[in-house]
Amino acid sequence: MITIALDAMGGDHGVSVTVPAALATLKHQAALKLVLVGQREAIETELARHRVTGGDRIVIHHASEIVAMDEPPAQALRNKKDSSMRVAINLVKEGAAQAVVSAGNTGALMATARFVLKTLPGIDRPAIVTTLPTMHDHVHVLDLGANVDCTPEQLLQFAIMGSILVAAVEGKSRPRVGLLNVGEEDIKGNDTVKKTHELLRASPLNYAGFVEGDEIYTGDMDVIVCDGFVGNIMLKTSEGLARMITHFIRQEFQRNLLTKLSALVALPVLQAFRKRVDPRRYNGATLIGLTGTVIKSHGGADVLAYEHAILEAVAEVKNNVPARIGQELAAMAARGAVA
């Protein structure tokens, strides 16, 4: 039985999303137990709306406080010790849960998780990694905003963690790793990128070289590494582009009667396309590099999106990702492959 703690109060929608997502996940995950952490009355009220009173596989763990989405991380860490976020993370540290999922304040989640769980030996900083769709399948990209300034050694650590994550969850023995840069030639990029390039080439990873921005979605990499400044801008730009394309398609199909009729004909294709690139199905970013599994859901996630974040936590627990990262780092250090 896998036990996962959910920050039931986190995100833009709180229990109106987290509770139904938990119930939906339990329907097709027979070996899963979920702990709903948050204000008991609010959770019980939402469960009652779905005619559920609890049971062996869904339990409530009371926490009196909530971390606001705009709350400074240091303030949340210092003053909200009984927040649903902090209590859920504590359950992982205590061994009462094997992972935590939260749609709450990203900065507060990272700060609290790092303070409570600590980083793995050999890891300077945790990173945020998520999956993005590509023309061939999908790619894992990190860091997406946790570390805006990184050393080459830290970027190497990100590459190692991303590679181990893909190998563990997807069963790929030699994931292809790329380094995001402004060009493919060795002379391109700033000093940090060039130095990281040399470290990656000397590492035992399956390093495939530099990756340009257009290759994020068109290439065949399994892992793409960048610092959090570049990664976050890339991610937010991609999200905005997706919304713009959706808006334009809808606008064109609604232009006149003929285009509306053509929309009906094209509806199966449009639905298939929407499902293929639906960001909700890629929801659930990992705070990788910690001693425990912490999954960050998008703050505005709906029920389907939050369910996918829970499933990401299940997959990482099943494959014991933090332990495998720790073991591989120790083995690489023994071989002199990392500092």
Side-chain angles (χ1 to χ4, degrees):
M1 183 71 72
I2 292 173
T3 302
I4 295 176
L6 305 183
D7 170 12
M9 315 305 294
D12 297 338
H13 308 295
V15 295
S16 65
V17 162
T18 58
V19 171
L23 296 174
T25 308
L26 289 173
K27 288 180 180 179
H28 54 82
Q29 294 288 319
L32 178 63
K33 176 182 176 180
L34 296 176
V35 182
L36 302 176
V37 183
Q39 296 174 342
R40 182 177 297 276
E41 184 177 350
I43 297 171
E44 287 178 342
T45 299
E46 185 63 27
L47 285 172
R49 286 185 62 249
H50 297 272
R51 300 179 181 178
V52 176
T53 57
D56 294 338
R57 297 178 58 218
I58 186 162
V59 298
I60 301 172
H61 190 107
H62 180 69
S64 62
E65 298 173 313
I66 301 172
V67 174
M69 294 299 282
D70 59 351
E71 193 163 345
Q75 180 176 305
L77 180 62
R78 184 172 57 251
N79 299 331
K80 295 287 184 72
K81 295 182 180 180
D82 197 44
S83 68
S84 54
M85 179 185 292
R86 176 72 171 265
V87 173
I89 295 171
N90 283 342
L91 290 177
V92 176
K93 180 177 177 59
E94 295 161 4
Q98 294 150 287
V100 59
V101 179
S102 175
N105 181 318
T106 303
L109 182 65
M110 176 62 83
T112 305
R114 187 175 181 182
F115 176 79
V116 173
L117 298 176
K118 313 304 181 188
T119 55
L120 289 163
I123 297 298
D124 295 335
R125 301 177 181 178
I128 300 175
V129 55
T130 197
T131 308
L132 298 176
T134 69
M135 287 173 57
H136 300 281
D137 193 0
H138 59 263
V139 63
H140 288 74
V141 184
L142 73 165
D143 176 34
L144 294 176
N147 308 280
V148 295
D149 293 306
C150 300
T151 66
E153 290 75 18
Q154 288 163 352
L155 291 172
L156 172 62
Q157 293 170 13
F158 296 168
I160 293 168
M161 293 191 294
S163 181
I164 296 170
L165 173 65
V166 172
V169 174
E170 300 185 7
K172 295 183 178 180
S173 60
R174 296 277 289 163
R176 285 170 55 84
V177 178
L179 178 62
L180 194 60
N181 195 13
V182 295
E184 295 183 349
E185 300 84 3
D186 288 353
I187 61 171
K188 296 289 184 69
N190 57 30
D191 289 341
T192 299
V193 169
K194 291 177 181 177
K195 176 61 175 175
T196 305
H197 179 58
E198 294 303 318
L199 291 177
L200 286 168
R201 285 206 295 197
S203 78
L205 299 176
N206 184 16
Y207 178 55
F210 289 137
V211 174
E212 295 189 72
D214 61 330
E215 294 178 286
I216 295 171
Y217 297 101
T218 63
D220 58 355
M221 295 294 171
D222 297 304
V223 179
I224 295 178
V225 179
C226 58
D227 64 45
F229 184 85
V230 171
N232 191 262
I233 291 175
M234 178 276 296
L235 181 64
K236 297 299 174 60
T237 302
S238 300
E239 291 174 349
L241 177 62
R243 287 195 294 269
M244 184 187 73
I245 291 173
T246 301
H247 172 76
F248 283 170
I249 291 174
R250 184 179 296 113
Q251 194 175 57
E252 291 303 320
F253 275 124
Q254 294 177 348
R255 190 168 296 280
N256 54 52
L257 180 59
L258 181 61
T259 58
K260 289 179 181 178
L261 290 173
S262 65
L264 291 175
V265 176
L267 188 59
V269 175
L270 292 172
Q271 289 176 332
F273 170 75
R274 180 179 180 182
K275 182 177 181 180
R276 190 171 181 180
V277 300
D278 188 349
R280 298 178 301 171
R281 298 181 181 276
Y282 296 92
N283 184 48
T286 306
L287 305 193
I288 199 166
L290 298 166
T291 61
T293 298
V294 180
I295 304 298
K296 172 65 175 76
S297 167
H298 195 288
D302 64 7
V303 172
L304 177 63
Y306 198 86
E307 184 180 351
H308 276 271
I310 299 173
L311 293 176
E312 177 63 29
V314 170
E316 295 193 22
V317 170
K318 283 182 177 179
N319 291 283
N320 208 11
V321 171
R324 290 179 69 161
I325 291 173
Q327 292 164 6
E328 184 62 24
L329 284 169
M332 292 176 71
R335 299 193 301 266
V338 292

